[in-house]
């Protein structure tokens, strides 16, 4: 894997590196306003001489530095705690062509660790402010912001990058990005074209714990291959929420799970959006009312948003360590000077410092990267609701709102679709029907779409006796 990755990037640099001109005097010029003598000496020590830790096939040259400065395009996804650190580390390491995508705006609570932002920036898009800060402080660096969801950008946008780095706090967004890069892979008679691979560097933090990983789509374990590694979502028993709340979180969950669908405060079919201040304010007020009934204290707007969005408390030092690890892996891959991480690093400084690496193995039957339909075993008398429960509750799938379609009697038929209210109402009766009643047969293929991936996943229905 490492040799292939090394060869891939070395060839890309040979084809795409920009010829030196008088406009860029890396060794210290007298006419360029963003370069000065010795600026890249620290980087040159890694790229222009060999050493005991360099890649066995590495050939010291000035070519790698020029590729990083002029040609290599990096995409950073997320401009929060990890994203701010990543942008700073990458820009100071010599990467000058960077794009950043983030859909959030700056909140006061961000200022304690997201150091690219100031009080005057509250309410502004994170991507815009982060890009402005880096561009103004690091000469020659060009960070282009995109204030939007990753789902709003198409294949053409993602295909332009050499490396993508994720600093996300959402497993769903990670899985979607993973699926997008898998969809960009090109196969020739079943053989993967290495030139279509865009390496994905993923970082994650949870309090004093964190991880960094290197993913080569189509070659190594992808996000969905290791879905079981992500911490399970904390859920409270429904009986506690409805009848015997004891914690402020119980009151918030009551407003979120029971009152929202019942009262429909923003109209029929409107899904609760954790990034919408009006939605959070409504849940906050109802949670306060619920808490007052049971003499429970501690319900705050910030806690409400944290429960609704499943926010995990962040620690600035952990973000700095994990971002540094991710930026180092970007440097290794872009320069081809060192063997990259293979392929998962775990960091923990809860009690002292503990870190280790291991190779996460690719699953042969991964729903995202296996390239073959996955078998689902059900009885002909099983109901569609059971299939839906399997898709959402299986540890290896963990879908959020799957839409199921199939070809029945030569026609494409939507069996269930949750995201559109009118279609959900029309297809809801199918959930109580058996698979046989729906006209499904043994070895039937089901197409499943979900917010966790841009691709439609194929499953093969295998009837059991």
């Amino acid at each position: 894997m490492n040799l292939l990755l090394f060869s891939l990037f070395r060839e890309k640099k040979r084809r795409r590196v920009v010829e030196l001109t008088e406009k860029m005097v890396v060794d210290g010029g007298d006419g360029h306003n963003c370069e000065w003598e010795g600026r890249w000496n620290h980087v040159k020590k890694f790229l222009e001489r060999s050493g005991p830790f360099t890649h066995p096939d590495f050939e010291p040259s000035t070519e790698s530095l020029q590729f990083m400065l002029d040609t290599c395009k990096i995409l950073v996804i997320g401009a929060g705690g990890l994203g701010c650190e990543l942008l700073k580390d990458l820009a100071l390491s010599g990467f000058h062509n960077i794009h950043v995508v983030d859909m959030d705006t700056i909140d006061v609570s961000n200022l304690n660790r997201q150091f690219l932002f100031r009080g005057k920036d509250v309410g502004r898009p994170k991507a815009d402010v982060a890009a402005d800060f880096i561009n103004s402080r690091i000469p020659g660096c060009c960070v282009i912001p995109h204030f939007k969801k990753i789902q709003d950008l198409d294949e053409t946008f993602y295909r332009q990058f050499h490396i993508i780095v994720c600093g996300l706090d959402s497993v769903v967004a990670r899985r979607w990005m993973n699926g997008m890069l898998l969809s960009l892979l090109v196969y020739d008679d079943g053989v993967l074209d290495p030139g279509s691979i865009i390496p994905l560097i993923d970082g994650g933090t949870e309090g004093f714990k964190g991880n960094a990983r290197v993913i080569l789509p189509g070659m190594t374990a992808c996000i969905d291959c290791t879905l079981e590694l992500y911490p399970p979502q904390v859920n409270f028993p429904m009986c506690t929420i409805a009848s015997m709340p004891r914690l402020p979180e119980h009151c918030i969950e009551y407003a979120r799970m029971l009152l929202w669908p019942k009262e429909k405060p923003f109209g029929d079919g409107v899904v609760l959006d954790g990034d919408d201040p009006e939605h959070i304010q409504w849940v906050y007020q109802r949670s306060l009312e619920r808490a007052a009934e049971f003499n429970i204290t501690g319900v705050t707007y910030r806690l409400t948003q944290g429960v609704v969005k499943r926010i995990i408390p962040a620690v600035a030092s952990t973000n700095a360590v994990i971002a540094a690890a991710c930026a180092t892996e970007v440097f290794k891959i872009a320069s081809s000077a060192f063997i990259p991480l293979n392929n998962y690093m775990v960091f923990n400084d809860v009690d002292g410092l503990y870190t280790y690496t291991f190779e996460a193995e690719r699953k042969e039957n991964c729903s995202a990267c296996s390239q073959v339909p996955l078998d689902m075993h059900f009885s002909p008398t099983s109901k569609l609701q059971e299939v839906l429960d399997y898709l959402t509750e299986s540890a290896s799938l963990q879908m959020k709102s799957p839409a199921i379609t199939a070809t029945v009697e030569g026609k494409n038929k939507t069996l269930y679709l949750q995201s559109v209210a009118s279609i959900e109402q029309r297809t809801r009766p199918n959930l109580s029907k058996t698979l046989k009643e729906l006209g499904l047969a043994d070895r039937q293929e089901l197409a499943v779409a979900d917010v966790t991936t841009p691709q439609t996943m194929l499953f093969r229905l295998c009837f059991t006796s």
Side-chain angles (χ1 to χ4, degrees):
M1 181 272 287
N2 288 323
L3 288 175
L4 177 58
L5 186 64
F6 174 82
S7 302
L8 169 64
F9 266 82
R10 184 170 59 181
E11 182 59 28
K12 283 187 176 183
K13 284 185 289 185
R14 285 175 177 170
R15 292 198 312 261
R16 304 179 67 171
V17 75
V18 179
E19 294 294 332
L20 287 172
T21 65
E22 294 179 357
K23 294 182 180 179
M24 179 65 74
V25 188
V26 175
D27 291 327
D30 54 3
H32 201 282
N33 60 3
C34 68
E35 297 296 337
W36 54 87
E37 185 176 359
R39 181 178 184 187
W40 302 113
N41 283 352
H42 62 299
V43 177
K44 289 181 181 180
K45 291 177 181 178
F46 295 103
L47 303 180
E48 296 184 7
R49 64 181 186 180
S50 188
F53 300 108
T54 54
H55 195 288
D57 296 331
F58 174 65
E59 298 175 2
S61 70
T62 60
E63 193 176 81
S64 293
L65 179 57
Q66 282 312 116
F67 175 74
M68 289 168 51
L69 290 171
D70 302 340
T71 307
C72 191
K73 248 184 178 179
I74 307 293
L75 174 63
V76 175
I77 301 178
L82 268 178
C84 286
E85 293 280 356
L86 281 167
L87 289 169
K88 175 260 295 179
D89 291 346
L90 292 170
L92 291 175
S93 298
F95 295 98
H96 280 177
N97 299 306
I98 304 174
H99 290 237
V100 58
V101 179
D102 196 293
M103 61 174 283
D104 284 342
T105 55
I106 299 167
D107 185 73
V108 173
S109 63
N110 302 145
L111 303 181
N112 70 332
R113 65 194 181 280
Q114 298 174 21
F115 59 90
L116 299 183
F117 311 140
R118 302 291 183 266
K120 62 182 176 59
D121 301 320
V122 171
R124 292 186 59 199
K126 288 184 178 180
D128 292 351
V129 177
D132 290 344
F133 193 104
I134 295 293
N135 291 338
S136 65
R137 292 289 291 271
I138 303 179
C141 189
C142 178
V143 179
I144 299 176
H146 303 273
F147 175 45
K148 54 183 64 180
K149 297 180 180 180
I150 55 174
Q151 294 87 348
D152 295 336
L153 298 161
D154 59 15
E155 292 184 0
T156 304
F157 173 80
Y158 290 109
R159 194 176 280 115
Q160 67 180 303
F161 298 101
H162 293 88
I163 303 171
I164 294 178
V165 197
C166 283
L168 294 163
D169 59 3
S170 165
V171 176
V172 172
R174 279 188 177 90
R175 295 178 66 186
W176 191 93
M177 195 65 244
N178 178 71
M180 171 55 72
L181 295 186
L182 289 170
S183 72
L184 299 180
L185 297 177
V186 176
Y187 290 86
D188 185 9
D189 292 331
V191 178
L192 176 62
D193 176 10
S196 64
I197 297 174
I198 301 176
L200 175 66
I201 316 297
D202 179 55
T205 63
E206 179 185 347
F208 289 99
K209 302 175 183 179
N211 67 80
R213 61 190 301 187
V214 175
I215 298 171
L216 303 182
M219 290 183 57
T220 64
C222 73
I223 296 289
D224 282 46
C225 286
T226 57
L227 207 54
E228 295 90 344
L229 293 177
Y230 292 100
Q233 196 167 275
V234 178
N235 293 308
F236 300 105
M238 182 58 72
C239 58
T240 300
I241 295 172
S243 306
M244 298 176 293
R246 299 182 301 275
L247 301 173
E249 290 84 353
H250 294 160
C251 301
I252 297 169
E253 288 287 69
Y254 177 83
R256 182 183 74 86
M257 299 178 63
L258 299 177
L259 294 185
W260 180 278
K262 179 182 178 181
E263 298 187 14
K264 302 172 183 175
F266 293 88
D268 191 21
V270 176
V271 179
L272 176 59
D273 184 356
D275 295 303
D276 190 324
E278 293 185 1
H279 288 196
I280 298 298
Q281 184 65 32
W282 187 91
V283 175
Y284 171 53
Q285 293 297 332
R286 295 299 182 275
S287 302
L288 283 176
E289 295 170 6
R290 177 72 169 175
E293 290 179 29
F294 292 87
N295 296 317
I296 296 173
T297 60
V299 175
T300 64
Y301 181 91
R302 185 175 180 180
L303 178 64
T304 302
Q305 189 175 42
V307 172
V308 171
K309 295 183 66 176
R310 306 293 184 184
I311 295 174
I312 298 170
V315 176
S317 58
T318 310
N319 286 334
V321 171
I322 297 303
C326 291
T328 300
E329 295 307 317
V330 174
F331 181 86
K332 290 179 184 178
I333 294 174
S335 67
S336 302
F338 302 92
I339 298 175
L341 175 67
N342 187 27
N343 53 33
Y344 202 112
M345 184 273 284
V346 176
F347 173 83
N348 186 335
D349 66 345
V350 175
D351 297 307
L353 177 61
Y354 179 61
T355 182
Y356 64 94
T357 64
F358 68 93
E359 182 179 358
E361 296 184 0
R362 189 178 179 190
K363 285 176 63 175
E364 292 184 2
N365 63 339
C366 173
S367 60
C369 69
S370 64
Q371 299 291 311
V372 295
L374 300 185
D375 290 344
M376 289 196 300
H377 299 275
F378 287 94
S379 165
T381 58
S382 298
K383 297 181 179 180
L384 186 63
Q385 180 67 58
E386 296 177 54
V387 176
L388 189 72
D389 292 341
Y390 169 75
L391 295 173
T392 55
E393 296 174 7
S394 169
S396 60
L397 296 174
Q398 297 184 35
M399 295 186 183
K400 300 302 177 184
S401 53
I404 308 172
T405 61
T407 301
V408 180
E409 298 179 353
K411 295 181 179 180
N412 191 43
K413 181 180 180 181
T414 300
L415 301 179
Y416 184 70
L417 193 150
Q418 185 175 342
S419 57
V420 181
S422 59
I423 301 179
E424 194 280 332
Q425 187 175 5
R426 180 165 52 84
T427 57
R428 191 184 308 160
N430 289 339
L431 295 176
S432 58
K433 295 181 180 179
T434 67
L435 302 180
K436 186 175 182 180
E437 289 173 341
L438 291 169
L440 302 178
D442 187 34
R443 316 299 290 180
Q444 173 102 42
E445 284 196 355
L446 300 180
V448 180
D450 190 61
V451 294
T452 57
T453 176
Q455 302 183 93
T456 298
M457 289 172 281
L458 293 179
F459 293 84
R460 186 166 45 217
L461 194 58
C462 299
F463 282 165
T464 57
S465 54

